[in-house]
Amino acid sequence: MKEERILLTGGAGRLGTELRRLLPDVIAPSETDMDITRPEHIEAALAAGSGAVLALPHLGGWEYAGAWLAQQGHRILVVVEPVEPRELFEWFVEVREAMGMEVVPLGEDAAARALKALRDNRIVCLVSDRDLTGEGIRVEFNVCGTSTRKFWIE
């Protein structure tokens, strides 16, 4: 992985700082580091031959779970929101690819690539709680508020 200096701010900055600090452990997570609940649902979907879609909350290190799944031999495709600056997005892609995930930026061909991955019996991860439209429902989270997509509430 190439060494670059990128100014990280806000949530992306905190995530980038944590990933940089934890990167060796994240790339090779241990099952003892995680609480894995009901993985049989993923295995059943893959056994049926049509892939699996995981709708993940944008909380904590979802990349850690993706790295663990990849380590178990699963082929992972993640659809992610591109962030600015472009160099930061490219760094996140590089980190996630080092963890064993194929990264697809949200955009015109994301759905087609996700469908192909499902046809190839892969796992597709969608970080799906972020309100990209600005029309979500306001919720209190810890000491501050945020908005989330309506389908998580209704």
Side-chain angles (χ1 to χ4, degrees), residues 7 18 23 27 35 40 48-49 66 73 95 101 103 107 113 124-126 152 154:
L7 176 62
E18 287 299 306
L23 194 55
I27 291 175
D35 182 17
E40 66 271 14
V95 168
M101 296 176 264
V103 179
R113 291 178 66 185
V124 173
C125 296
L126 305 173
W152 285 104
E154 298 176 339

Side-chain angles (χ1 to χ4, degrees), residues 66 77 87:
L77 180 136
E87 295 82 7

Side-chain angles (χ1 to χ4, degrees), residues 107-119:
E108 288 184 23
D109 70 338
R113 291 178 66 185
L115 285 172
K116 180 174 181 342
L118 292 171
R119 287 188 196 106

